[in-house]
Amino acid sequence: MTVIRTATAGLALLLAAACTAPTPPRIESNTAGSSACAQPQGPPGAETATTVDVIEQAYSCILGDYYSGATLDARSLLSAGFAALTQELSRNGRDVPEATLPALTGDRKADWTAFETVYRRTTDQVPDLRDKLAVVTLEAIVASLGDNHARWVHGVKRPPDYYDGDGYDLGFRANVNGAQVSGNPGVAIPPLFVTTVQGGAAQAAGLRPGDIIESINGSAPFIDGKATPAIAALYPLYPQARPVQLRLLRQTTGRRWSVTLKPGLYQRDLAALQVVRSKLLEDDIAYVRLAGFAPDSADRVLKAITRLRTGRTLTGVVLDLRGNGGGSPVEATRLLSAFAHGKVTAYQCTVDGRCETSRTDDTVELLNLPLVVLTDRSCASACEHFSSAVKDLGIGRLVGTRTAGVISGPAQPYLLSNNTMLSFPERHHLGPNREVIDRIGVPPDHYVLLTPKDAAAARDPALAKALTLLHK
């Protein structure tokens, strides 16, 4: 499974296997078919321009292989794409009289033909905008699915002098993350405050965990308790480089001040980039933090616990999944297998209700240890697969906040003819009790919220609660 954002760790795991595929045929019939989609077979070539033929390929691919493609009203895709095209024309002050959406009937082949005819006629009038219009059209078609695991990855660039592990942003993280801002801002809770300073501009300006952000570029981050679009400025992606002005409050001293931070490249703490980190806590409790369900991560967690177990009798395990953006559902199931055997951990279902089951791997040795899992709103995708199974199967207890609700289904990557990657789920994810988790999340058994005062004092109330539960 992948997480929401253009280049999240979970999506990167899938795209790492990206490869070439033959250019697909044009739409041949009115019924959905999979001819436009081909699984990657080797490293992709250099990205070329997005054209109407690439848009057609993606359109066919979605209708043929997306999990609800067979029942999807294709007119919604074309309407969204054409709306984006006309909006881009307006933004450039170049509206075209021919840019009118043709009548769509629901016949997929006929509707595409009508769309393509008007699309070509329109873009021929503004040849200098042709590339940009193609990009916004395809972006809108994919976005119209409303699926947090549907992505079109293109135009990915890295900053000059980028080195593996570097960060590019303002140098800090807040309690409202980027995925919440772009996908589900309604779950954000005020106040907005700094949780981690990673380096870069934030470190140079002296920001500290617990600092409350009262305004962003002059706009309030919350109005009437609801998150505003202003928060998105905290999470710029390269090559965005506009300075961001913050108004801050440090509760411990009462100080209020303003600072301007410019996005940039900085070296991150290598320890913080480790997928698995572990340590022994009081009363022989093993603490393991898992940053993502990367390949082999389950075995690495189990090896870490085994090492902590050497020469002592462990009394429990705290598995910290806060900030875990997901990754491989296979790894999630394998790790669950160390805590339960003979169980279904999830269902992957088609739109007509035919489901495949994910079952524990009973060759994995049971740990036979009490388990507490720490979750938050950044626990997404495979992280939610794991968390929902822990809860439904009674494997352990969840402490923290509700998970992200970003688990549409495991995404499959497809290489388009211009060497860009389209990915989306072929099946929809359900929890072990066949419950929908997508857009809802997994609620914790014990709700524990981090406050600005906690962050400023380096207190971890969720971990404290986990230790209390394991001591009982």
Side-chain angles (χ1 to χ4, degrees), residues 110-131:
D111 285 347
W112 173 260
T113 300
F115 175 91
E116 181 182 13
T117 299
V118 176
Y119 179 95
R120 289 185 183 275
R121 188 182 303 144
T122 299
T123 56
D124 284 348
Q125 300 300 309
V126 284
D128 56 316
L129 294 180
R130 187 177 283 120
D131 290 350

Side-chain angles (χ1 to χ4, degrees), residues 371-376 391 396-402 442-450 461-470 472:
L371 173 67
V372 175
V373 179
L374 306 184
T375 62
D376 65 2
K391 188 178 182 72
R397 285 167 285 185
L398 306 183
V399 173
T401 63
R402 186 179 292 265
V442 182
D445 298 300
H446 301 273
Y447 180 74
V448 181
L449 190 66
L450 183 73
L463 178 57
K465 179 63 177 180
L467 296 177
T468 299
L469 293 171
L470 290 172
K472 289 183 178 179

Side-chain angles (χ1 to χ4, degrees), residues 81-439:
F82 205 83
L85 180 149
T86 58
Q87 290 162 11
E88 186 63 24
L89 285 171
S90 296
R91 278 192 290 269
N92 286 272
R94 302 283 297 280
D95 211 347
V96 174
E98 291 84 357
T100 301
L101 182 67
L104 303 177
T105 66
D107 181 308
R108 293 178 171 187
K109 180 180 179 182
D111 285 347
W112 173 260
T113 300
F115 175 91
E116 181 182 13
T117 299
V118 176
Y119 179 95
R120 289 185 183 275
R121 188 182 303 144
T122 299
T123 56
D124 284 348
Q125 300 300 309
V126 284
D128 56 316
L129 294 180
R130 187 177 283 120
D131 290 350
K132 180 60 176 176
L133 292 173
V135 167
V136 298
T137 299
L138 184 45
E139 286 176 337
I141 286 173
V142 176
S144 71
L145 296 173
D147 191 308
N148 49 58
H149 277 57
R151 286 287 180 275
W152 177 45
V153 179
H154 64 97
V156 177
K157 298 178 180 178
R158 284 185 171 178
D161 302 322
Y162 175 87
Y163 183 76
D164 189 28
D166 282 349
Y168 179 90
D169 48 42
L170 301 178
F172 75 94
R173 291 291 178 266
N175 60 312
V176 181
N177 62 43
Q180 285 173 272
V181 173
S182 61
N184 192 5
V187 303
I189 299 173
L192 180 68
F193 62 94
V194 176
T195 55
T196 307
V197 176
Q198 299 174 313
Q203 187 176 64
L207 269 65
R208 298 178 188 171
D211 287 346
I212 295 175
I213 302 170
E214 297 186 319
S215 73
I216 304 166
N217 293 328
S219 298
F222 287 90
I223 296 177
D224 294 331
K226 296 182 179 180
T228 70
I231 300 175
L234 300 184
Y235 299 104
L237 298 174
Y238 182 80
Q240 298 172 14
R242 292 182 178 178
V244 179
Q245 186 178 58
L246 305 179
R247 179 71 176 170
L248 299 160
L249 166 65
R250 184 164 292 162
Q251 284 185 315
T252 54
T253 63
R255 177 193 177 198
R256 276 189 168 87
W257 77 106
S258 295
V259 64
T260 299
L261 306 180
K262 184 177 180 180
L265 198 65
Y266 61 93
Q267 183 176 349
R268 296 181 60 187
D269 179 7
L270 295 181
L273 295 175
Q274 290 180 298
V275 174
V276 177
R277 286 178 286 165
S278 62
K279 61 183 177 181
L280 190 67
L281 301 178
E282 59 186 78
D283 295 333
D284 290 331
I285 293 172
Y287 169 89
V288 182
R289 187 177 188 108
L290 178 61
F293 284 92
D296 198 40
S297 59
D299 286 342
R300 290 165 68 181
V301 169
L302 298 178
K303 287 178 181 177
I305 295 172
T306 297
R307 288 181 179 180
L308 293 175
R309 209 172 194 173
T310 302
R312 62 180 59 84
T313 301
L314 293 180
T315 59
V317 175
V318 175
L319 182 61
D320 192 345
L321 298 184
R322 293 173 295 185
N324 184 310
S328 168
V330 174
E331 291 298 313
T333 295
R334 183 166 179 79
L335 186 54
L336 286 164
S337 304
F339 296 95
H341 283 175
K343 301 293 185 181
V344 173
T345 68
Y347 296 91
Q348 311 298 338
C349 303
T350 61
V351 70
D352 59 359
R354 292 178 290 110
C355 299
E356 295 179 353
T357 57
S358 297
R359 298 182 183 276
T360 53
D361 179 354
D362 295 348
T363 65
V364 177
E365 185 177 355
L366 289 171
L367 289 173
N368 294 311
L369 289 170
L371 173 67
V372 175
V373 179
L374 306 184
T375 62
D376 65 2
R377 274 294 185 179
S378 295
C379 170
S381 197
C383 184
E384 298 181 273
H385 178 158
F386 186 92
S387 301
S388 63
V390 168
K391 188 178 182 72
D392 287 357
L393 303 178
I395 293 173
R397 285 167 285 185
L398 306 183
V399 173
T401 63
R402 186 179 292 265
T403 63
V406 179
I407 185 168
S408 170
Q412 297 295 328
Y414 304 98
L415 195 68
L416 300 180
S417 59
N418 67 335
N419 292 317
T420 60
M421 194 69 64
L422 177 67
S423 63
F424 51 74
E426 293 179 335
R427 292 177 178 266
H428 192 61
H429 182 99
L430 298 176
N433 291 340
R434 294 184 180 269
E435 77 275 25
V436 174
I437 303 166
D438 193 37
R439 304 178 188 276

